Amino acid sequence: MKITEYIDEVRGLTAQARAEGRRVALVPTMGYLHEGHLSLVRAARESVSGVGAARESISGVGAEADNRVFVVMSIFVNPLQFGPQEDFEKYPRDLARDQLMAASAGVDLLFVPSVEEMYPSGPSLTLIQVAEVSEGLCGAARPGHFTGVATVVAKLLLICQPDEAFFGQKDYQQLMVIRQMAMDLCIPTRIVSVPILREKDGLAMSSRNVYLSPEYRLQAPVLYEALCRGADAVLSGETDYDTICALVRDCIAGSAAQVEYVEIRDREDWKRPERLHQKVVILLAARLGETRLIDNILVGDRGERI
């Protein structure tokens, strides 16, 4: 695995990979890696090289086929997406640990730019704002957050020019913002969603989980339990928006979690459905102490929750 902090070197190495006939896959992260991040790397190899080739390569059989993909992982805590009172300075960082995890997952190039490398002239004068999709939910709670996300992701896509870029489903609104941005700006990269990876008790994996005290960590799985109850109600035929939201909130009410929002959106067009159907996403944000957690659950069109 190569490691660089320089944009020009990333461009040179990805251009070389393309010249060798390899496809380029980007996995953008803010570091403090966990298994959820590593699942994005596995998805990149399976999606680009083919599931069969990726599986064979694990046993040492399909290494040549697996070499058809060049996986770039970026680690950059982007100040542009943090508000003045948010946790930019204390956001967990451990680059030495991250390097080991990225290498073991099969990352080819680890891009770890400094703030000065990404924003050499200081705060960016050019910002990308995705209207409507970025409004409400986390966009309402964190003004300017999605502008920062869209701007830095656009920069990473322009730097790496990947064939595919992989994002976790846990940040579902972020995923929708990035897809809309890529479509509106005619960015040819395919934006790929990867399912949420969860702890054994259901808590969605997140770098911010490290903030949870032991007491709050024990209570955190209630968020997923509540989402499951809401999804099961939709699958059982409940079509009233407010009824489902109230059910999710009631499930959380007996815990220490303070609900910020419970919302339901159409999985495809992000609109609030007038009557619920079996292709929606239920989303929530809540605080346990000072830690803000988000989660969601997809209600499948085949009568299942995802």
Side-chain angles (χ1 to χ4, degrees), residues 108-159:
D108 296 292
L109 174 61
L110 189 62
F111 178 38
V112 289
S114 63
V115 173
E116 292 73 24
E117 182 72 7
M118 290 296 285
Y119 302 111
S121 302
S124 182
L125 301 181
T126 300
L127 302 173
I128 297 177
Q129 182 177 1
V130 181
E132 296 185 10
V133 183
S134 65
E135 297 163 6
L137 291 83
C138 287
R142 306 181 66 188
H145 169 69
F146 286 121
T147 295
V149 168
T151 302
V152 78
V153 170
K155 288 172 73 75
L156 290 168
L157 294 177
L158 289 169
I159 292 166

Side-chain angles (χ1 to χ4, degrees), residues 7-283:
I7 290 171
D8 285 347
E9 190 168 1
V10 173
R11 285 177 168 155
L13 290 168
T14 53
Q16 178 183 334
R18 281 188 288 272
E20 294 169 353
R22 304 171 73 182
R23 296 178 66 80
V24 177
L26 173 65
V27 177
T29 82
M30 292 205 301
Y32 209 74
L33 303 180
H34 51 68
E35 280 299 317
H37 295 115
L38 304 188
S39 74
L40 303 181
V41 177
R42 291 191 290 271
R45 292 209 173 277
E46 291 180 358
S47 177
V48 182
S49 293
V51 175
R55 285 177 179 165
E56 288 177 0
S57 70
I58 294 173
S59 62
V61 176
E64 183 177 347
D66 192 53
N67 197 45
R68 291 183 300 178
V69 56
F70 185 78
V71 179
V72 182
M73 174 182 280
S74 63
I75 294 179
F76 180 60
V77 183
N78 175 35
L80 203 59
Q81 67 194 66
F82 287 79
Q85 306 302 318
E86 293 187 329
D87 59 346
F88 174 73
E89 293 298 336
K90 69 174 185 176
Y91 191 86
R93 297 165 171 87
D94 190 338
L95 185 55
R97 169 182 170 275
D98 288 348
Q99 289 175 0
L100 292 173
M101 293 182 71
S104 68
V107 170
D108 296 292
L109 174 61
L110 189 62
F111 178 38
V112 289
S114 63
V115 173
E116 292 73 24
E117 182 72 7
M118 290 296 285
Y119 302 111
S121 302
S124 182
L125 301 181
T126 300
L127 302 173
I128 297 177
Q129 182 177 1
V130 181
E132 296 185 10
V133 183
S134 65
E135 297 163 6
L137 291 83
C138 287
R142 306 181 66 188
H145 169 69
F146 286 121
T147 295
V149 168
T151 302
V152 78
V153 170
K155 288 172 73 75
L156 290 168
L157 294 177
L158 289 169
I159 292 166
C160 300
Q161 299 184 36
D163 297 282
E164 290 89 9
F166 293 78
F167 297 85
Q169 177 198 308
K170 183 177 77 69
D171 296 298
Y172 198 87
Q173 187 176 15
Q174 170 180 281
L175 173 69
M176 298 297 285
V177 166
I178 292 167
R179 280 181 170 166
Q180 188 69 45
M181 176 200 69
M183 181 177 70
D184 289 348
L185 298 183
C186 300
I187 297 174
T189 301
R190 186 168 70 97
I191 306 301
V192 182
S193 170
V194 179
I196 298 172
L197 207 62
R198 299 184 180 277
E199 305 288 354
K200 291 182 179 180
D201 59 8
L203 178 64
M205 290 186 179
S206 169
S207 298
R208 287 189 169 94
N209 289 350
V210 71
Y211 295 158
L212 293 168
S213 68
E215 177 186 356
Y216 287 144
R217 176 62 186 83
L218 286 173
Q219 297 197 45
V222 72
L223 303 181
Y224 182 54
E225 293 169 14
L227 288 170
C228 288
R229 286 187 61 183
D232 288 343
V234 174
L235 293 171
S236 296
E238 180 59 65
T239 61
D240 184 71
Y241 185 103
D242 291 334
T243 297
I244 298 298
C245 290
L247 178 65
V248 173
R249 286 179 176 273
D250 288 346
C251 185
I252 299 171
S255 73
Q258 301 297 310
V259 176
E260 186 178 284
Y261 67 73
V262 176
E263 298 273 357
I264 306 171
R265 292 289 184 271
D266 186 284
R267 283 167 43 190
E268 301 297 330
D269 63 17
W270 194 241
K271 293 179 180 178
R272 171 174 167 163
E274 292 184 7
R275 303 292 289 176
L276 300 189
H277 51 83
Q278 291 186 4
K279 201 169 184 181
V280 297
V281 54
I282 308 174
L283 312 100

